Amino acid sequence: MFAFISLLLASLAQAQTLFPAPGACSGPCGIHDPAVVKRSDGTYFRFGTGGGIKAATAKSISGPWTAIADVLLSGSKINNPGNKDIWAPDVSLVGSTYYAYYSVSQFGSQNSAIGVATSPNMNAGSWTDLGSINLPQSKSYNTIDPNLISVNGANYLSFGSFWNDIYQVQMSSLTSASGSSPRQIAFNTTSTHPLEGSFQVYRAPYYYLFFSSGICCTLPAATGAEYKVMVGRSSSPTGPFVDKSGKSVTQNGGTLVLASHDDVYAPGGGGVLNDPQLGYILHYHYEAAFDTLQTWYNSSGLWTGTDWWNAANCLTVTADLLAVDGNRASQCQAVFTTTLSKNSQGGFLNDYYDDQGWWSLGWIAAYDVTKNQDYLQIAESIFQDNTNGWKGNCTAGGVTGGMHWTKQPQGDTGFYINAVTNELYISIAASLANRASDGGKYLAIAQQAWTWLSHVGMTNSDGLFNDGLNADCTNNGGPVYTYNQGIILGGLVELSKATGDSSYLDSATTLADTYINQFKSSNNGILKESCDPDKCDTTAAQFKGVFMRNLAKLYTATKKQDYKDFITKNADSIWANDRIEQGMGETANQLGDSYSGPYTQANPSTQSSAMDALIGAIVVSV
């Protein structure tokens, strides 16, 4: 994913150990190793890894970007493996000519070469490939990741990746390094020497050497070992470069500029654009869980490989992400629009009241981040149909009722009354009480239903919800699913907000405390479903995320440190143990079904469930 930030913002944020969110990007934003150049007419050109050097243009650095033809349609004339899958371009204007330096290689190999192509204007079809710059080969370095800086008529090319890291050579000409002797300018002494992707820029009175430190392409990495952006500076373009403490970058030095944060994972592989209007802009790529989720999103406005109700939870996750990351606005709003237009004919109704309830909550979440009344109206319409299911004959707390799970009886057992459907009923009604113009009627429904649920005996001796009731209105002793402990937390938060009555929060905290304390003692503080690991179907794989989503809501209302710690620990465990990288594309970071790992496989249910925890970690960090 292509992204950018102001370097001034980055420097200020780094001092506070916080990092700014990436700038918005629209159009085709999936790119690795981006190089951005602004032409004199104001047009931005972006180049990146893949094919014959991927290219795009825009009138604004935030887009919308429009893909144009690759720089080298037939690949590089360098006769090395990988010459049709070119890496890490660097484009510079010297005089009246644009020079695009590029890498030809294969992953993990030193059989590499750096080439160059030229153009008078960077337009599609205008590039001439000149082939290799004849950089001397050595076992000490890898000839990839080039970057040129021109100083007073002298041209210096930095390059290198792992092995002995980053080197620099003074070019004999802009198209040749023949006869030159490279020298090391940055080195990490740890076992794999994980430095690469250097980029040098001058801002008086210093030359700044940016580089990527860590693992980019064989993730997952140990926590903290993934890509991050570092910098050193020098009064000379040839170094020595030191960090802000004075430590040489050839001795593990480097000042941290940007690291993983929020939904940004493994940022790096970029460069710096000195934009006359915007100032110094750091551009880079990063991996995001949402991009992976969207690989399953299809033309029907749903997510391939998951069930109807799971798709509603994917919609909710999309809205929750937008609530914490406004840079995703165009992507998320497109999901809302498409999903509604493709699926509204049936009113998001089916034969199951719980399925309908998930969709109602999903559209409420979409309304919250867009204020689009259409979304609120569809949520109300769905809930109106759900009120037809309040036909139970169980009496509790002076109320006779209970939501049926289905619209038709289940064989000889009749209508089943379970926790999930009733908790959804309360949560939707309480949410609408805080949003709809006639909120009073929804509040009355939510309060009545909570009175019934809190007295009907659906909880076990620990105060946790079992699956449901027998036909005689007694507890059926069914499983204690994670989502049945979570849905109602959000509903009680909404009830407390609607009434100002803190006793609803007291009930929620009692339930949440009891539940998470079980995992502190039995699973190292990591949330677990009874089918974990590896035995959860797409239905059960969704459950944990529902709990985490609603626990984050409870934290927002109570600011209880235990909830923050629990959510953060689970999010950290997901990244470290339940995630896998499957290549260099933008759709990496697949998240599995077991928060404690190991990763086995992913689908939209596991992805969105894990994202609930990750987004929750962002929510509690604010």
Side-chain angles (χ1 to χ4, degrees), residues 56-72:
T57 63
K59 291 298 184 182
S60 164
I61 195 170
S62 60
W65 290 93
T66 301
I68 59 175
D70 288 3
V71 169
L72 304 177

Side-chain angles (χ1 to χ4, degrees), residues 7 33-36 147 197-199 210 268-273 281-284:
L7 275 179
D33 307 315
V36 180
N147 169 248
S198 60
F199 191 99
F210 291 84
V272 177
L273 170 67
I281 299 296
L282 175 70
H283 48 86
Y284 58 97

Side-chain angles (χ1 to χ4, degrees), residues 147 149 151 156-158 166-169 183-187 195 198-203 205-211 230-255:
N147 169 248
I149 186 170
V151 181
Y156 303 94
L157 191 82
S158 60
I166 298 171
Y167 281 69
Q168 184 187 77
V169 63
R183 52 187 295 273
Q184 187 185 64
I185 59 172
F187 183 58
L195 300 186
S198 60
F199 191 99
Q200 195 172 161
V201 64
Y202 178 69
R203 184 181 182 185
Y206 294 107
Y207 295 88
Y208 291 85
L209 180 70
F210 291 84
F211 52 90
M230 313 289 285
V231 70
R233 72 181 188 183
S234 172
S235 59
S236 166
T238 60
F241 297 92
V242 298
D243 62 21
K244 67 178 183 180
S245 71
K247 188 175 184 179
S248 173
V249 299
T250 60
Q251 297 293 325
N252 300 331
T255 298

Side-chain angles (χ1 to χ4, degrees), residues 123-159:
N123 289 339
S126 69
W127 292 93
T128 300
D129 185 23
L130 303 180
S132 175
I133 63 170
N134 297 312
L135 189 63
Q137 297 294 304
S138 171
K139 293 182 178 180
S140 297
Y141 52 72
N142 197 9
T143 51
I144 66 171
D145 291 1
N147 169 248
L148 181 77
I149 186 170
S150 297
V151 181
N152 298 326
N155 300 296
Y156 303 94
L157 191 82
S158 60
F159 65 93

Side-chain angles (χ1 to χ4, degrees), residues 22-285:
C25 180
S26 61
C29 294
I31 196 73
H32 263 249
D33 307 315
V36 180
V37 182
K38 187 175 185 181
R39 201 166 59 185
S40 59
D41 65 357
T43 303
Y44 291 87
F45 285 76
R46 189 193 66 205
F47 305 92
T49 286
I53 306 177
K54 297 301 180 184
T57 63
K59 291 298 184 182
S60 164
I61 195 170
S62 60
W65 290 93
T66 301
I68 59 175
D70 288 3
V71 169
L72 304 177
L73 291 174
S74 300
S76 169
K77 64 172 57 176
I78 297 173
N79 189 24
N80 277 11
N83 65 354
K84 296 186 185 304
D85 183 26
I86 301 172
W87 295 355
D90 172 73
V91 181
S92 298
L93 176 64
V94 182
S96 59
T97 301
Y98 292 93
Y99 293 82
Y101 297 91
Y102 60 84
S103 312
V104 173
S105 186
Q106 291 184 308
F107 187 75
S109 169
Q110 278 184 292
N111 183 22
S112 309
I114 292 173
V116 63
T118 60
S119 168
N121 51 32
M122 298 187 290
N123 289 339
S126 69
W127 292 93
T128 300
D129 185 23
L130 303 180
S132 175
I133 63 170
N134 297 312
L135 189 63
Q137 297 294 304
S138 171
K139 293 182 178 180
S140 297
Y141 52 72
N142 197 9
T143 51
I144 66 171
D145 291 1
N147 169 248
L148 181 77
I149 186 170
S150 297
V151 181
N152 298 326
N155 300 296
Y156 303 94
L157 191 82
S158 60
F159 65 93
S161 168
F162 287 65
W163 280 272
N164 287 341
D165 291 332
I166 298 171
Y167 281 69
Q168 184 187 77
V169 63
Q170 183 169 350
M171 303 281 284
S172 53
S173 72
L174 283 164
T175 59
S176 176
S178 179
S180 303
S181 298
R183 52 187 295 273
Q184 187 185 64
I185 59 172
F187 183 58
N188 185 306
T189 62
T190 56
S191 58
T192 59
H193 318 304
L195 300 186
E196 59 186 6
S198 60
F199 191 99
Q200 195 172 161
V201 64
Y202 178 69
R203 184 181 182 185
Y206 294 107
Y207 295 88
Y208 291 85
L209 180 70
F210 291 84
F211 52 90
S212 299
S213 174
I215 298 171
C216 96
C217 308
T218 55
L219 301 168
T223 301
E226 74 277 7
Y227 243 18
K228 59 189 72 66
V229 180
M230 313 289 285
V231 70
R233 72 181 188 183
S234 172
S235 59
S236 166
T238 60
F241 297 92
V242 298
D243 62 21
K244 67 178 183 180
S245 71
K247 188 175 184 179
S248 173
V249 299
T250 60
Q251 297 293 325
N252 300 331
T255 298
L256 179 64
V257 177
L258 186 65
S260 297
H261 64 98
D262 302 329
D263 195 41
V264 172
Y265 182 74
V272 177
L273 170 67
N274 185 7
D275 189 301
Q277 283 72 47
L278 302 176
Y280 288 89
I281 299 296
L282 175 70
H283 48 86
Y284 58 97
H285 71 251

Side-chain angles (χ1 to χ4, degrees), residues 572-595:
D572 288 344
S573 181
I574 289 167
W575 276 117
N577 305 308
D578 192 31
R579 183 183 59 84
I580 194 167
E581 173 82 11
Q582 294 190 334
M584 294 182 66
E586 63 167 324
T587 55
N589 293 324
Q590 293 192 354
L591 308 175
D593 66 347
S594 175
Y595 285 5

